[in-house]
Structures are given as structure tokens and as C-alpha cells.
Amino acid sequence: MSKIPAALCANQAVTLDGIQNALMMLMGEIYEHMDEGHDPAPTHNDCAAWGDGLSWLVKSIGRVRYELREVRS
């Protein structure tokens, strides 16, 4: 098994930290909205923003996975 270069590992760790933080922030927003029973239903803009956040997260995870696969091959 080949070793992954330290610089790539550090870069990927930073990227994964960002993804994790974004997921936690998005989950917090969703749970906060759910807990506020007196608020109206989510607006179109709310849903679009959540969708944009999820799209960024999915793409980021895909990039990290792709880069790690490239290093392994």
C-alpha cells in the first residue's frame, strides 16, 4: 500500500473539517426551524438555501473522494 503524501492528507483533513462544520451548521438551522413551532413554514428562499448548502456538501465530499482515489491509484 502506498503512502499518501502528508500535504494531501493535511489538505483533505481541512476540507473534511469544513464539510463537517457546514453539515453541523445546516443541521442546526433545520433543527432550530423545527423547534420554532410558531414560525411559518419554510419559505422558498429557505429551501433553496438549504438545497444549495447540501449541494455544496455533496460536491465537496465527491472532490475529496476523487482526490483520495487518484492518490491511491
Side-chain angles (χ1 to χ4, degrees):
M1 181 187 288
S2 64
K3 288 189 175 185
I4 298 175
L8 179 67
C9 287
N11 183 40
Q12 297 310 319
V14 169
T15 301
L16 290 171
D17 284 344
I19 292 168
Q20 181 181 21
N21 290 337
L23 275 170
M24 289 174 22
M25 185 174 72
L26 184 60
M27 286 179 357
E29 289 290 322
I30 291 169
Y31 288 136
E32 180 181 315
H33 188 81
M34 288 171 39
D35 288 342
E36 296 174 357
H38 60 277
D39 280 355
T43 65
H44 176 76
N45 288 340
D46 290 338
C47 293
W50 295 339
D52 289 346
L54 288 171
S55 174
W56 177 85
L57 291 168
V58 167
K59 289 175 185 175
S60 297
I61 291 166
R63 281 192 299 271
V64 171
R65 184 179 55 227
Y66 174 79
E67 289 178 17
L68 290 173
R69 284 183 180 160
E70 286 296 307
V71 170
R72 284 184 23 202
S73 52

